[in-house]
C-alpha cells in the first residue's frame, strides 16, 4: 500500500515512520510511505503556504494553490486513483471500522490541515475529512500518523501474525481485551489470579470472558449498550 502525506512539518513524522513495525514493513516493500513538504509546491520567493483570511479575523489560512499542486503532482505519479483524506478537528470520526475500509485501498493521500484554517476550495479534492477524536491540535500531523499506523497494521504482512491483530482490543468492537499477566506470580504483594496458573484452558477462557466484560463495564459502558 502507498501512503502519501502532505504537511508543512514532514520532520514531525519522519522519525515515527523509521521505527517499529512500520519501518520493518517499509523495508520489506509492503508499505510505501512518502512525506511531502507543502512548501516544495510553492513558487514564490518566500515559499508562502498561507495568507490572511478574507473577511478578516485572526490567524492565517492555508492557500489553495500549493495544496492543489501537491495533490495533482502526487496523483500523476500513482498507478491507482488514491483516496484523499483531510485531517481536521471537524471531520468524521476515525474508528477501527474506518481503518478496515481504508486498508482495502491501493493508495491514500493524507493532507494535514492547520488549526487556523484551510481554504474551503481544497475540499473539492478531498474524499473524506477525518478526525481521530474530539479534541483540537495545532496541526493534523499526529492524526495523520495515527491513521497511517492504524491502517498500515491491517495491511497483510505488516503485523507478523494475523493473530496478533485479531487478539487486540477492538478486534471485537463490543468488548475490551482481558487483563494479562506475566512472571513473577507475586510482585510486591500483587498476585496473579490463581486460575491463570492452573493450565485449565476451559476455566481460563471463562475467567477471561468475565474479566473482559467487567473491564468493558468500567471503562467503556457505551460499547455494551451497542
Ligand atoms: C481544525 C485534526 C483543526 C480544523 C486536526 C484542521 C485535531 C484533529 C485542524 C482543521 C487538528 C483531530 C478544517 C483542516 C488541525 N486537530 N482531532 N488540527 N481543518 O483529528
Amino acid at each position: 500500500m502507498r501512503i502519501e502525506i502532505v504537511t508543512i512539518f514532514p520532520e514531525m513524522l519522519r522519525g515515527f515512520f523509521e521505527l517499529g513495525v512500520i519501518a520493518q514493513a517499509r523495508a520489506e516493500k509492503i508499505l510505501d510511505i512518502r512525506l511531502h513538504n507543502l512548501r516544495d509546491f510553492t513558487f514564490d520567493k518566500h515559499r508562502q503556504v498561507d495568507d490572511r483570511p478574507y473577511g478578516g479575523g485572526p490567524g492565517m489560512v492555508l492557500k489553495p494553490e500549493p495544496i492543489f499542486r501537491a495533490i495533482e503532482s502526487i496523483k500523476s505519479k500513482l498507478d491507482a486513483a488514491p483516496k484523499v483524506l483531510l485531517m481536521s478537528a471537524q471531520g468524521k470520526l476515525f474508528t477501527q471500522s474506518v481503518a478496515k475500509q481504508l486498508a482495502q485501498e491501493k493508495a491514500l493521500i493524507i493532507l494535514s490541515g492547520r488549526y487556523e484554517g484551510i481554504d474551503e476550495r481544497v475540499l473539492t479534492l478531498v474524499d473524506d475529512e477525518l478526525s481521530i477524536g474530539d479534541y483540537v491540535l495545532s496541526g493534523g500531523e499526529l492524526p495523520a500518523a495515527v491513521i497511517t499506523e492504524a491502517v498500515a497494521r491491517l495491511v497483510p504482512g505488516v503485523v507478523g501474525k494475523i493473530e496478533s491483530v485479531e487478539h487486540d482490543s477492538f478486534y471485537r468492537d463490543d468488548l475490551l481485551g482481558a487483563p494479562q499477566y506475566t512472571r513473577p506470580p507475586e510482585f510486591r504483594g500483587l498476585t496473579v489470579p490463581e486460575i491463570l496458573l492452573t493450565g485449565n484452558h476451559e476455566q481460563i477462557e471463562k475467567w477471561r470472558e468475565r474479566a473482559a466484560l467487567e473491564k468493558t463495564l468500567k471503562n467503556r459502558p457505551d460499547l455494551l449498550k451497542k
Side-chain angles (χ1 to χ4, degrees):
M1 178 180 221
R2 182 102 165 236
I3 303 181
E4 312 268 355
I5 301 176
V6 179
T7 163
I8 58 170
F9 296 129
E11 298 314 320
M12 266 179 79
L13 297 174
R14 190 148 349 251
F16 180 76
F17 295 129
E18 286 173 358
L19 291 169
V21 288
I22 301 243
Q24 185 70 33
R26 291 176 85 186
E28 291 169 18
K29 315 273 180 213
I30 301 166
L31 284 180
D32 187 354
I33 299 176
R34 300 185 192 193
L35 296 170
H36 304 271
N37 190 335
L38 189 59
R39 277 190 211 284
D40 293 343
F41 299 92
T42 58
F43 283 86
D44 63 304
K45 182 157 160 278
H46 296 105
R47 309 226 299 160
Q48 280 257 112
V49 291
D50 54 10
D51 206 341
R52 289 165 301 156
Y54 274 125
M60 299 286 270
V61 173
L62 288 177
K63 290 153 61 72
E65 196 183 13
I67 296 174
F68 271 73
R69 283 219 198 93
I71 290 176
E72 283 161 0
S73 160
I74 292 165
K75 278 186 174 172
S76 75
K77 290 166 190 161
L78 293 173
D79 308 323
K83 187 148 262 182
V84 180
L85 307 174
L86 173 64
M87 297 320 307
S88 155
Q90 294 150 13
K92 297 180 197 163
L93 187 64
F94 176 74
T95 60
Q96 190 68 16
S97 128
V98 175
K100 282 177 192 164
Q101 288 166 29
L102 294 178
Q104 306 306 310
E105 300 288 332
K106 280 206 170 116
L108 301 176
I109 299 178
I110 307 181
L111 180 57
S112 177
R114 299 304 299 170
Y115 166 69
E116 296 173 67
I118 189 163
D119 189 289
E120 190 73 13
R121 290 169 288 189
V122 165
L123 288 169
T124 61
L125 302 174
V126 168
D127 294 299
D128 266 311
E129 226 180 319
L130 291 182
S131 163
I132 60 164
D134 286 341
Y135 36 82
V136 176
L137 305 167
S138 303
E141 283 75 18
L142 292 176
V146 165
I147 286 184
T148 301
E149 168 152 347
V151 171
R153 287 172 50 76
L154 299 174
V155 172
V158 171
V159 173
K161 295 174 251 169
I162 191 69
E163 297 93 77
S164 0
V165 172
E166 290 194 346
H167 280 146
D168 283 355
S169 326
F170 289 103
Y171 161 56
R172 283 183 62 171
D173 60 9
D174 58 344
L175 208 59
L176 302 180
Q180 302 269 48
Y181 295 86
T182 186
R183 294 187 298 173
E186 184 184 336
F187 173 71
R188 298 192 183 176
L190 303 168
T191 56
V192 173
E194 275 293 330
I195 186 72
L196 296 179
L197 309 175
T198 62
N200 183 340
H201 292 291
E202 201 174 308
Q203 285 303 107
I204 288 172
E205 221 23 67
K206 278 190 177 161
W207 178 88
R208 282 185 171 152
E209 256 173 62
R210 187 182 175 85
L213 202 58
E214 282 169 1
K215 193 184 256 308
T216 310
L217 194 61
K218 179 167 186 276
N219 290 354
R220 295 294 307 275
D222 57 303
L223 294 180
L224 292 177
K225 277 182 210 127
K226 285 194 230 162

